[in-house]
């Protein structure tokens, strides 16, 4: 009997739990030790298997006589979940189908808009993704102009508006802007340093679905190494307000860097224990090649209040990692210029302007949009043979662009982290087979 399989499969053993992942089609299973050993036997025999030899194997290793029907049932189950294939033709068809599926994930209608209503900011964070744009002399749209733009985006199909900056709360009309598009089918998120939120808390709490507040530590010295400490304690007061009123509407985001890596786990634990507020860690992303030395050496961080679910659905991982830049996601600057996403707001990657009558046609027909839509991790030379490539996606293409100057470059400094994170994603999934 001959079966076929992805020869770049990954086998993970964690706490006596075994996982098999096939990058050919992003299929994975959680199995017990005996099933794991049976799979090893199949792989070690290059798919040439004999039921009698398998029976003898189990007798010698476990003193267990497994009947033919049970062995066939398990092999058929592996074929059913497409870890194994009955023919090479079946395996190649599955591979082509999956390539098509991944391409479809990157395509879709416009759904998300990052709104930079202002690029003014009262902080000066060293790792801000818009650091080169902050506090420049930009002309900003008026309230009425922004309302027309927001309604235009909503009419085009945008269902999620993310207000960012700069510091979005510097604009005194944020409530009015949000109310112009807010309804039960529209999700509103505000990305803020939190320093101005206390005074606007009751105006915004009922119309914003999620506030993502940047904070790296409760230690003012650690926090101030990367951010201004202006109104630092107003952020703490704001955390208390959320804890008392609606802690589910806030997410604290910490950027892991050399200044706070030894404190971030303690900070996360304290935040959850004292305020019941969840947090997430984002690894420091350099804005250019010279900042790579500022990236801390990767190590696994435990986050007791992480928003990442303990058991995740693998399809949701693929959907999150299928970049929607310039297709389902766009970003607008204060002048209405349209970019692929909030991390790619550069002159070279400007696609159109929202004031143009045919802005949407320009968006979908742009060479930039076509390039991003067709980008595949398999096109990155150093990624194409990696078993984890479809989970990490080769990393955010904005990082490659900022650090190496190309959307298709391999992010070498970040590769260890991406592989470790991909492995962690596999370990947190839950599908059993045997």
């Amino acid at each position: 009997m001959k079966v076929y399989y992805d020869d770049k499969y990954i086998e993970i053993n964690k706490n006596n739990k075994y996982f098999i992942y096939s990058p050919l089609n992003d299929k994975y299973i959680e199995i017990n030790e005996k099933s794991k050993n049976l799979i090893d036997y199949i792989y070690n025999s290059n798919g040439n298997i004999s039921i009698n030899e398998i029976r003898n194997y189990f007798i010698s290793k476990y003193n267990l006589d497994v009947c033919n029907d049970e062995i066939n049932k398990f092999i058929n189950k592996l074929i059913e979940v497409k870890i194994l294939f009955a023919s090479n033709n079946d395996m190649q068809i599955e591979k082509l189908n999956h390539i098509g599926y991944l391409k479809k994930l990157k395509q879709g209608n416009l759904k998300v808009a990052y709104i930079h209503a202002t690029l003014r900011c009262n902080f000066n964070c060293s790792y801000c993704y818009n650091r080169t744009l902050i506090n420049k002399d930009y002309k900003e749209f008026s309230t009425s102009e922004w309302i027309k733009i927001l309604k235009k985006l909503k009419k085009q199909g945008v269902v999620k508006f993310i207000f960012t900056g700069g510091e979005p709360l510097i604009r005194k009309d944020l409530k009015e802007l949000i109310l112009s598009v807010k309804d039960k089918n529209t999700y509103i998120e505000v990305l803020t340093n939190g320093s101005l939120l206390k005074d606007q808390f009751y105006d915004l709490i009922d119309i914003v679905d999620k506030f993502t507040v940047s904070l790296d530590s409760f230690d003012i010295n650690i926090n101030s190494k990367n951010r201004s400490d202006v109104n630092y304690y107003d952020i703490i007061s704001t955390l208390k307000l959320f804890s008392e009123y609606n802690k589910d509407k806030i997410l604290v985001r910490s950027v892991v860097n050399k200044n706070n890596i030894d404190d971030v786990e303690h900070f996360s634990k304290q935040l959850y224990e004292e305020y019941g507020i969840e947090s997430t860690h984002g690894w420091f992303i350099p804005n250019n090649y010279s900042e790579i030395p500022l990236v801390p050496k990767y190590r696994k961080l435990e986050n007791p209040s992480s928003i990442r679910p303990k058991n995740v659905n693998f399809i949701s991982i693929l959907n999150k990692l299928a970049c929607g830049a310039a297709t389902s996601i766009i970003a607008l600057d204060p002048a209405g210029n349209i970019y692929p996403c909030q991390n790619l707001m550069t002159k070279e990657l400007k696609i159109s302007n929202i004031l143009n009558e045919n802005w949407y046609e320009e968006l979908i027909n742009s060479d930039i949009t076509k390039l991003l839509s067709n980008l595949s991790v398999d096109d990155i030379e150093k990624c194409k043979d990696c078993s984890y490539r479809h989970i990490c996606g080769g990393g955010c293409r904005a990082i490659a662009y900022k650090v190496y100057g190309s959307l298709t470059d391999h992010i070498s400094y970040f590769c260890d982290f991406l592989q470790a994170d991909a492995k962690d994603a596999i370990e947190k999934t839950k599908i059993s087979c045997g």
Side-chain angles (χ1 to χ4, degrees):
M1 182 179 181
K2 174 72 173 176
V3 292
Y4 298 82
Y5 57 89
D6 184 357
D7 60 5
K8 292 184 174 62
Y9 76 95
I10 298 170
E11 186 177 286
I12 298 172
N13 177 3
K14 182 180 181 182
N15 300 327
N16 294 320
K17 290 185 177 180
Y18 300 92
F19 302 86
I20 302 291
Y21 165 69
S22 169
L24 175 141
N25 54 2
D26 292 304
K27 299 292 185 181
Y28 73 99
I29 53 172
E30 180 184 346
I31 53 177
N32 59 32
E33 182 180 2
K34 292 176 183 176
S35 298
K36 177 258 183 191
N37 286 329
L38 176 53
I39 289 176
D40 285 347
Y41 174 88
I42 294 172
Y43 289 162
N44 290 334
S45 64
N46 293 319
N48 296 300
I49 56 177
S50 162
I51 301 299
N52 287 332
E53 288 181 6
I54 292 175
R55 287 185 65 186
N56 292 334
Y57 169 79
F58 271 86
I59 290 172
S60 63
K61 189 170 183 66
Y62 298 106
N63 194 27
L64 180 65
D65 189 7
V66 182
C67 69
N68 290 5
D69 285 346
E70 192 172 351
I71 295 171
N72 279 319
K73 182 179 179 181
F74 181 72
I75 292 173
N76 287 333
K77 180 65 176 178
L78 291 174
I79 292 174
E80 179 185 332
V81 298
K82 297 183 178 180
I83 294 292
L84 297 180
F85 299 90
S87 71
N88 184 56
N89 187 56
D90 288 346
M91 185 170 70
Q92 296 307 317
I93 290 173
E94 175 69 6
K95 180 179 180 179
L96 291 173
N97 286 341
H98 191 62
I99 290 172
Y101 169 72
L102 292 176
K103 286 183 177 180
K104 285 183 180 179
L105 283 181
K106 297 185 69 173
Q107 299 169 353
N109 297 324
L110 181 60
K111 298 295 182 185
V112 180
Y114 282 80
I115 305 298
H116 300 76
T118 182
L119 283 170
R120 290 174 289 152
C121 191
N122 57 337
F123 278 20
N124 187 28
C125 302
S126 61
Y127 42 66
C128 176
Y129 67 82
N130 275 334
R131 184 169 175 77
T132 60
L133 304 177
I134 294 298
N135 293 325
K136 304 295 184 184
D137 188 22
Y138 292 105
K139 181 181 178 182
E140 297 178 8
F141 288 129
S142 67
T143 302
S144 60
E145 288 171 326
W146 264 119
I147 287 175
K148 289 179 182 178
I149 290 168
L150 294 171
K151 288 184 175 180
K152 181 187 292 188
L153 289 168
K154 186 172 182 177
K155 185 176 180 180
Q156 189 58 53
V158 172
V159 293
K160 182 175 183 178
F161 292 89
I162 303 174
F163 290 87
T164 181
E167 171 50 52
L169 293 173
I170 282 180
R171 285 193 64 119
K172 302 303 181 183
D173 58 357
L174 184 59
K175 177 181 178 180
E176 195 173 349
L177 298 183
I178 292 171
L179 285 174
S180 71
V181 289
K182 179 60 178 172
D183 58 32
K184 65 179 182 179
N185 298 315
T186 306
Y187 188 93
I188 303 293
E189 184 173 354
V190 174
L191 309 185
T192 173
N193 61 42
S195 62
L196 305 176
L197 186 50
K198 181 181 176 183
D199 292 338
Q200 301 182 50
F201 180 84
Y202 293 106
D203 286 336
L204 298 175
I205 187 65
D206 292 327
I207 60 174
V208 174
D209 296 283
K210 182 71 73 174
F211 296 87
T212 298
V213 177
S214 302
L215 188 62
D216 291 338
S217 176
F218 284 126
D219 185 320
I220 193 169
N221 293 318
I222 294 175
N223 194 67
S224 298
K225 286 181 180 179
N226 300 301
R227 309 176 188 273
S228 164
D229 61 353
V230 177
N231 292 325
Y232 175 79
Y233 288 104
D234 282 344
I235 299 175
I236 303 302
S237 299
T238 301
L239 295 179
K240 292 179 179 178
L241 278 175
F242 275 102
S243 181
E244 295 167 1
Y245 191 89
N246 192 335
K247 59 190 176 185
D248 293 330
K249 283 203 170 188
I250 182 174
L251 170 67
V252 170
R253 185 178 187 274
S254 304
V255 177
V256 181
N257 55 80
K258 286 186 174 181
N259 294 323
N260 71 336
I261 190 169
D262 293 324
D263 177 69
V264 69
E265 290 163 304
H266 170 72
F267 166 64
S268 179
K269 182 178 180 182
Q270 184 180 355
L271 179 67
Y272 192 71
E273 289 180 349
E274 293 188 14
Y275 303 103
I277 291 175
E278 295 181 329
S279 64
T280 186
H281 302 145
W283 220 253
F284 170 69
I285 303 298
N287 282 301
N288 52 63
Y289 188 85
S290 67
E291 291 184 354
I292 290 178
L294 301 177
V295 180
K297 186 176 181 180
Y298 173 75
R299 75 168 190 253
K300 189 174 178 66
L301 296 174
E302 296 299 331
N303 188 349
S305 65
S306 173
I307 61 165
R308 189 173 191 173
K310 299 294 183 184
N311 302 317
V312 294
N313 178 287
F314 207 75
I315 297 300
S316 70
I317 294 173
L318 292 176
N319 274 288
K320 288 178 181 177
L321 291 169
C323 176
T327 52
S328 60
I329 298 170
I330 57 171
L332 274 69
D333 71 11
N337 294 315
I338 299 173
Y339 304 90
C341 73
Q342 78 281 13
N343 285 311
L344 289 173
M345 291 173 57
T346 68
K347 185 185 299 184
E348 299 79 14
L349 295 176
K350 174 187 169 183
I351 296 173
S352 181
N353 188 287
I354 193 67
L355 298 182
N356 293 351
E357 185 176 350
N358 60 338
W359 68 272
Y360 188 68
E361 287 73 21
E362 291 177 345
L363 171 65
I364 60 178
N365 294 315
S366 164
D367 289 341
I368 296 170
T369 300
K370 292 174 183 177
L371 172 62
L372 288 166
S373 298
N374 291 321
L375 273 180
S376 168
V377 67
D378 294 316
D379 296 329
I380 303 171
E381 185 65 29
K382 292 184 180 180
C383 293
K384 65 181 183 180
D385 293 323
C386 176
S387 296
Y388 295 102
R389 66 191 184 281
H390 290 152
I391 307 176
C392 80
C396 174
R397 293 296 87 202
I399 301 174
Y401 187 79
K402 287 185 175 184
V403 175
Y404 301 109
S406 169
L407 290 167
T408 57
D409 268 16
H410 175 245
I411 309 174
S412 56
Y413 85 91
F414 212 38
C415 193
D416 288 347
F417 171 84
L418 292 171
Q419 285 197 16
D421 198 51
K423 182 178 178 181
D424 185 54
I426 296 172
E427 291 173 355
K428 289 180 177 176
T429 57
K430 283 286 183 181
I431 286 185
S432 298
C433 182

